[in-house]
Amino acid sequence: MKKSITILMLMALSTLLSAQSYQQTSQGVKAEVGRTAIELQFYSPRIVRVLKYPKTEKVNKKSLSVIKIPEKTDFKTERFNNVISLSSSEIIVTLNLTTGDVQFNGLDTRPFIAEKSSSSLFTDKQYKSGKTYEIQQTFLLDKQEAMYGLGQHQQGYMNQRGKSVRLRQMNTEIAVPIIHSVKGYAVFWDNYSETEYKDSFDGMSFTSVSGKCIDYYFMYGKDADGTIARIRNLTGQAPMFPLWTYGFWQSRERYTSQDELAGTVRKYRELGVPLDGIIQDWQYWSTDNTHWNAVEFGNPAFPNPKQMVEDIHRLHVHVAISVWPSFGPNTNIHKDLNKRKLLLNFDTYPHNNGVRVYDAFNPEARKIYWDYMNKNIFSLGMDAWWLDATEPEDNINGETLDGATFLGTYRDISNAFPIVSVGGVYDNQRKVTADKRVYIFTRSAFAGQQRYGANSWSGDIDSRWSTLRKQIPAGLNFSLCGIPYWNTDIGGFWAGRAYPGGIKDIAFHELYVRWLQFGTFTPMMRSHGTNTPREIYQFGKRGDWAFDVQEKYINMRYSLMPYMYSTGHDITNNSGSMMRALMMDFAKDPKVYDIDNQFMFGKSILVTPVTDSMYVNRTRDGRTVADFSAAKIQKVYLPKGADWYDFWTGEKIKGGQEISKAAPIDIIPLYIKAGTILPWGPKVQYAEEKNWDNLNIFIYPGADTEFVLYEDENNNYNYEKGIYSTIKMMWDDISQTLTIGARQGEFPGMLSKRTFRITLLPAGKSIRSLTDKADHLIVFDGKEINVKM
C-alpha cells in the first residue's frame, strides 16, 4: 500500500513539474525539456517557427532571411498527458514535453513532418574565435514522399530523397537550406554556416558546423504554389523586372574595348537579330590585378565610357557591367575600406595579389561599396549589375573561418554573404531613383534573395552535354526554394575544355544551339562564356544551320514577351514561378516526381530540352561531320491530368504517357497544355519597339482557363503604387466562349484601344501556321467583351 501511495505521489509530482515546464505566449509556447529550451512561435496560421537552444545560452537572433513580422494568430492549446497540441485554423503542431520532439499535422491529423525522437543535438565546439555548437536536427518523412529544393547544385537529379548535399556557397553551387515537399509544405533551416543535408534510413537531417540555436520554420501551403507563397510571405516578395530584361542578352569573357562592345551591338542591329542587353565583363578597370575591381573605368581601351553607354542606348540596347565584392590593394575603394577596417581577412581571386573581400555584413561597408558603384558607374547611365563571385571565392581554412565580420565569425555566417551583398546594392539603388528598376544577376544566393531584384546564374560550368542536362534540375530545385529568377551561361562557360577548337568546331555549334533552345525558356536568355566568342555571326550567316536555329529561337523569345511579362506580374503579385518543376502542376502524377529533364515554362508550356548530341559525330581520323539526313527522336513524358498540343504540329495528345518526338536540329519538344490562352507578341528588334496594339491571342481548347495580360510603364516602380493595367481573359470550354474582362487600372501611355486577333487552334494546326490569320479581330476599348468562337 505504501509503495502504491509513493508511486502515485511521484506521478503527481512528475505531472506538476511537467506542467510547470512550459508557458503559453502570445505566439505559442515556451518550454524546457531537460537541458534544452524550446519555443514554438506562430508567424501566421500556416507558418510556425521552432527555436531550440541550451538553457545556459541567451539567444536573441535576428534573421538575415526572414523579414515577416509575426501576425496575430488565433490558436488553441490543449494538453494530453505530456504532449502539448497547438491548433491554428490551418495546422496542428505538437510538442512532447518528455522528449522535446515537435510534429506537424493537418487539421485532419494527416501527418506532415515530425522530428525524430531526441534528435535535437548540440555538440560543443571550441575554436580560436570562441565557443559554439555543431547543431543537428533529424526529421521523419513518409517513405514515398518526394523532397526538393536546397538551392542550386550540379548533381543532376530532382528528388532529394536518399541524397546527401553539402550546403556551402561555391562557384556553381548555391546553398539555400529550404526543403520543399510534394505534400505541400516546406522547412527553412535558418542557419548561415556550412551545413550538410542528409536523407537516409535514419531520417532526414540538417547538420550545421556552427550555431547557438536550432532555428527552423515550417510553412504549409497545401500545394507547391501555396508553399512558395508562404516562403515569400516569410522572406520577401520578388519585385518586377524591366520588360527589356526578358529579351536576348549577349556577353563574352570579355569585350576588350568600348569599340568592341558597341560594335557588337551595331552588328546585331545591322543583321536584324533582336537584342536587348549587352554585358561588359571584368578588366574594364585595368589589366593589372593590383587594381582589381576598382569599381571605376581605368583601362585605356575604354576612354569614354559615358559616350559608350549613350551610343549603345541610341541603338535601344541596355548595358550591364561586372562588379566583384573584392578589390586590389591599389584601388581607391580598397584603401577606403581598409582604412575603416572593413575588409575580411582572407585571400581571394585573383590570388596572391593582395585582393580582399569587403565585409558585406557591415552596413557601412555596403554603403561605401554602393557609393563607388553609383559615382563611377551608375551615374554613366548603367542599366544593370553583374555581381560576380558573390559566394565569395575564398580559401577556406581555420584562420579564414575564425575571422571576424560585423555580425560574428565568418564560420557562423558565410553562406549568407550573397544576400547581404546583393541586398545592399538593391536597397541603395532604390534610394537613388525609382525611375529605373534594379536588375542584378549574381553567381550566388541565399533564402530571401528574391526580394532584392536578383537573377542568379549557375556559375562557371563546363561546355558539355552532361552539364547542360544538369542545369535543368539545378534551376528547378532553386526555383522551388522561392527564388524565381535563374539562368545559365548559354553554351557553358568553359568551352575550351571540351572543344579546343571553339567556335570553329561544329560539335560546339550543336551543343550551343541546343543550349540556346533551353535558354529561350529560362527567366533570362543570356549567351556567355570563355575560350570562344558566341555572337550569332560567329556561327556563320543566314542559311547556315547554326545561325538560323539561333535566330529562330531568339525571335520566339520575343514572341513570348507578353506571356513572360505577365508571368513576371504573377510572380510579384501572386508569388508565382516561371520555371516550374512538373510536380508543381501535376502532384497527383507520381511519374513526374523524379523527371529531371522537363519542366513547365509558366503554367502552359511544357519544355523538353534536347540534352544529347544527335547530329554531329567525330570520324576515326578526327574530323567532325554533321549529318541531318534523318531526324532523331527525343522521349517526352506528357503528365497525367491534362491533354497536350504539340506546339509545332498542333497534334492533340492525351496526357499520362511517354511519347517519341522527332527532334531535328531546329526543334525541341514543346507542348501546350489543353486549356491555355497564349498571347503572342509582334516581331521586333527589341522589347519596347512596338506596342501590343495588334496582339495575337491563341486559345488551346480542352479545359476552362484564364490568363491575365499585364502591362505597365516597363522600367520604373510606379507599379508599386498601383499604376498598371490588367486584362483578364477567361475561356469557357463548354460554351466555347472567350470573355475579355474589363480593363483594370491605368498608366501613362496606356493603349486606349487595341486589336486582339483571336484564334481557336484546331487540332493539327500550329501557331506558326496561323500568326497571319485570325478567327476574330476584336477592337477592345477597355470594356468587357464576350467572343463566341
Side-chain angles (χ1 to χ4, degrees):
M1 185 68 175
K2 286 183 178 180
K3 184 177 180 181
S4 298
I5 293 173
T6 301
I7 291 173
L8 288 171
M9 290 176 64
L10 288 172
M11 290 176 63
L13 179 61
S14 175
T15 301
L16 180 63
L17 290 173
S18 294
Q20 292 174 340
S21 65
Y22 82 95
Q23 66 183 75
Q24 186 163 320
T25 68
S26 60
Q27 289 179 249
V29 296
K30 289 184 177 180
E32 292 186 355
V33 177
R35 293 181 294 176
T36 303
I38 304 172
E39 299 181 33
L40 303 183
Q41 304 169 359
F42 276 101
Y43 271 54
S44 79
R46 294 188 184 184
I47 302 175
V48 176
R49 182 189 188 191
V50 178
L51 191 63
K52 297 185 176 185
Y53 48 92
K55 289 190 298 185
T56 55
E57 297 287 345
K58 291 184 178 180
V59 173
N60 184 25
K61 176 184 171 185
K62 179 174 174 55
S63 178
L64 296 175
S65 295
V66 174
I67 61 172
K68 180 179 177 64
I69 297 173
E71 60 190 74
K72 180 174 174 51
T73 302
D74 293 328
F75 61 92
K76 181 174 68 174
T77 304
E78 297 178 278
R79 178 171 177 171
F80 304 94
N81 297 322
N82 274 346
V83 175
I84 303 171
S85 173
L86 290 80
S87 303
S88 72
S89 60
E90 298 287 346
I91 59 174
I92 300 171
V93 55
T94 61
L95 171 63
N96 188 311
L97 290 172
T98 301
T99 63
D101 304 330
V102 179
Q103 180 171 326
F104 297 91
N105 298 78
L107 294 180
D108 57 359
T109 71
R110 177 167 55 102
F112 294 134
I113 191 171
E115 294 180 355
K116 186 178 180 180
S117 183
S118 304
S119 66
S120 305
L121 301 179
F122 299 87
T123 304
D124 289 345
K125 294 289 181 180
Q126 185 67 46
Y127 299 103
K128 288 183 178 180
S129 54
K131 177 188 172 186
T132 184
Y133 300 96
E134 177 187 89
I135 58 173
Q136 182 182 86
Q137 180 66 62
T138 303
F139 301 89
L140 300 176
L141 306 173
D142 285 348
K143 185 176 181 181
Q144 302 301 321
E145 185 175 359
M147 305 295 285
Y148 306 94
L150 300 178
Q152 169 213 279
H153 304 282
Q154 300 295 328
Q155 292 89 335
Y157 49 76
M158 280 298 305
N159 192 348
Q160 303 288 0
R161 292 306 304 274
K163 310 297 184 183
S164 294
V165 182
R166 182 189 188 196
L167 299 178
R168 179 196 157 200
Q169 308 294 16
M170 299 174 64
N171 188 353
T172 77
E173 298 279 322
I174 298 178
V176 183
I178 291 177
I179 200 75
H180 186 141
S181 170
V182 74
K183 290 168 62 174
Y185 71 85
V187 172
F188 168 41
W189 179 258
D190 194 8
N191 182 282
Y192 319 124
S193 69
E194 183 177 324
T195 297
E196 181 185 19
Y197 163 90
K198 184 177 182 180
D199 181 52
S200 69
F201 62 89
D202 289 326
M204 184 271 286
S205 63
F206 287 98
T207 306
S208 295
V209 300
S210 184
K212 296 294 186 183
C213 60
I214 290 170
D215 187 5
Y216 71 86
Y217 294 79
F218 173 86
M219 296 161 281
Y220 176 52
K222 296 185 179 180
D223 57 24
D225 282 306
T227 300
I228 287 174
R230 301 286 78 75
I231 294 172
R232 303 242 185 96
N233 179 244
L234 184 70
T235 64
Q237 301 297 334
M240 287 288 295
F241 284 151
L243 177 67
W244 66 267
T245 63
Y246 292 98
F248 179 65
W249 293 70
Q250 185 60 61
S251 179
R252 68 160 75 164
E253 189 282 297
R254 59 187 166 87
Y255 293 109
T256 58
S257 70
Q258 71 179 60
D259 289 340
E260 188 176 47
L261 184 74
T264 299
V265 174
R266 285 193 295 271
K267 185 70 172 177
Y268 269 85
R269 287 290 178 256
E270 291 166 4
L271 286 169
V273 176
L275 181 70
D276 262 283
I278 190 80
I279 304 167
Q280 178 56 49
D281 203 348
W282 60 359
Q283 294 192 354
Y284 59 87
W285 49 77
S286 170
T287 56
D288 170 16
N289 286 336
T290 66
H291 288 88
W292 176 265
N293 190 41
V295 198
E296 60 183 305
F297 283 87
N299 188 327
F302 296 84
N304 193 340
K306 184 175 179 60
Q307 185 67 52
M308 176 188 74
V309 172
E310 291 173 354
D311 289 345
I312 292 170
H313 283 173
R314 273 193 290 272
L315 293 170
H316 304 284
V317 172
H318 296 77
V319 194
I321 196 163
S322 171
V323 181
W324 292 54
S326 53
F327 320 97
N330 288 333
T331 62
N332 292 323
I333 188 171
H334 182 287
K335 295 172 183 176
D336 200 349
L337 290 165
N338 190 47
K339 178 177 62 178
R340 302 167 193 260
K341 302 186 185 311
L342 297 175
L343 293 172
L344 299 181
N345 71 328
F346 57 80
D347 182 49
T348 188
Y349 184 87
H351 299 290
N352 304 315
N353 285 279
V355 179
R356 293 289 182 269
V357 175
Y358 83 119
D359 184 359
F361 301 99
N362 190 317
E364 181 185 3
R366 295 196 296 269
K367 180 61 165 56
I368 292 170
Y369 187 42
W370 167 254
D371 285 346
Y372 276 84
M373 292 170 69
N374 183 34
K375 177 183 176 182
N376 298 327
I377 300 176
F378 191 61
S379 62
L380 303 175
M382 198 61 60
D383 301 295
W385 305 106
W386 180 343
L387 298 186
D388 209 340
T390 43
E391 303 85 30
E393 292 192 0
D394 51 37
N395 286 332
I396 287 296
N397 54 46
E399 183 179 355
T400 299
L401 295 172
D402 284 325
T405 77
F406 181 74
L407 293 180
T409 65
Y410 191 65
R411 175 183 291 103
D412 291 344
I413 56 175
S414 59
N415 277 347
F417 189 96
I419 190 173
V420 293
S421 185
V422 170
V425 175
Y426 176 86
D427 286 340
N428 280 296
Q429 184 175 322
R430 287 297 307 263
K431 293 175 184 177
V432 171
T433 179
D435 293 331
K436 181 181 286 189
R437 294 177 194 167
V438 182
Y439 189 78
I440 297 167
F441 53 108
T442 172
R443 204 169 74 184
S444 195
F446 195 71
Q449 198 153 311
Q450 70 279 351
R451 67 180 182 257
Y452 291 133
N455 189 330
S456 299
W457 93 93
S458 59
D460 297 345
I461 49 178
D462 277 349
S463 300
R464 299 181 190 276
W465 290 98
S466 58
T467 305
L468 168 57
R469 174 149 181 163
K470 290 175 182 177
Q471 300 320 294
I472 302 170
L476 294 174
N477 273 312
F478 184 76
S479 182
L480 284 167
C481 294
I483 310 177
Y485 293 109
W486 175 91
N487 70 107
T488 73
D489 293 348
I490 291 175
F493 182 74
W494 295 107
R497 293 176 177 176
Y499 302 95
I503 200 69
K504 297 177 181 179
D505 189 341
I506 62 171
F508 177 70
H509 291 201
E510 184 186 21
L511 173 71
Y512 182 84
V513 299
R514 290 304 198 188
W515 209 311
L516 183 132
Q517 290 167 345
F518 165 56
T520 303
F521 301 96
T522 61
M524 184 185 191
M525 186 183 187
R526 180 182 57 87
S527 169
H528 180 73
T530 192
N531 307 125
T532 190
R534 287 111 190 273
E535 295 81 13
I536 189 172
Y537 48 83
Q538 307 284 355
F539 292 82
K541 59 185 183 306
R542 284 193 178 91
D544 295 329
W545 62 268
F547 186 106
D548 290 349
V549 174
Q550 291 182 61
E551 185 174 29
K552 175 179 180 176
Y553 280 83
I554 292 171
N555 278 312
M556 183 186 293
R557 177 78 173 189
Y558 282 84
S559 296
L560 288 167
M561 195 69 72
Y563 177 77
M564 291 187 294
Y565 200 54
S566 297
T567 300
H569 166 69
D570 183 60
I571 288 169
T572 296
N573 204 54
N574 303 311
S575 297
S577 300
M578 188 166 288
M579 285 185 72
R580 302 172 62 84
L582 296 186
M583 54 75 62
M584 293 187 68
D585 297 290
F586 306 100
K588 294 181 179 180
D589 184 355
K591 290 183 179 179
V592 308
Y593 291 175
D594 295 318
I595 291 178
D596 59 16
N597 67 330
Q598 299 180 215
F599 60 96
M600 297 294 294
F601 187 61
K603 295 181 180 180
S604 296
I605 305 174
L606 176 67
V607 184
T608 307
V610 175
T611 56
D612 294 292
S613 175
M614 292 181 171
Y615 299 106
V616 177
N617 299 291
R618 297 192 191 277
T619 62
R620 289 183 178 178
D621 60 2
R623 293 182 298 114
T624 305
V625 179
D627 180 4
F628 300 108
S629 59
K632 303 298 176 63
I633 297 300
Q634 174 75 40
K635 296 290 187 181
V636 179
Y637 180 72
L638 300 176
K640 185 178 180 180
D643 291 336
W644 300 90
Y645 290 85
D646 186 319
F647 173 82
W648 304 105
T649 67
E651 178 187 5
K652 187 177 181 181
I653 307 172
K654 187 173 181 60
Q657 61 177 313
E658 184 180 77
I659 64 169
S660 296
K661 169 65 180 174
I665 192 64
D666 66 331
I667 297 293
I668 63 168
L670 300 174
Y671 290 85
I672 311 299
K673 187 170 68 174
T676 284
I677 299 170
L678 183 64
W680 198 252
K683 186 176 176 59
V684 294
Q685 290 296 292
Y686 54 94
E688 296 185 49
E689 182 184 10
K690 297 177 183 177
N691 290 323
W692 300 340
D693 56 355
N694 194 22
L695 199 61
N696 280 296
I697 304 294
F698 293 103
I699 300 168
Y700 289 83
D704 294 345
T705 191
E706 64 180 45
F707 180 84
V708 178
L709 181 68
Y710 173 84
E711 295 167 291
D712 62 16
E713 295 172 273
N714 298 331
N715 194 14
N716 61 36
Y717 286 100
N718 285 341
Y719 75 87
E720 293 181 339
K721 305 171 186 176
I723 302 174
Y724 61 85
S725 78
T726 57
I727 301 170
K728 187 174 184 179
M729 304 178 187
M730 295 162 286
W731 171 250
D732 186 306
D733 203 58
I734 293 177
S735 67
Q736 298 281 282
T737 301
L738 177 69
T739 299
I740 304 176
R743 182 176 55 229
Q744 302 296 313
E746 60 182 4
F747 60 90
M750 181 182 70
L751 294 168
S752 58
K753 285 188 178 182
R754 69 198 313 159
T755 299
F756 287 127
R757 302 167 54 85
I758 302 168
T759 302
L760 179 65
L761 269 81
K765 294 290 184 181
S766 68
I767 282 179
R768 297 177 65 80
S769 66
L770 296 171
T771 49
D772 296 326
K773 305 173 185 177
D775 295 336
H776 295 273
L777 297 178
I778 301 299
V779 177
F780 179 72
D781 63 1
K783 299 181 180 62
E784 181 176 310
I785 297 177
N786 290 293
V787 185
K788 179 74 174 178
M789 301 301 293

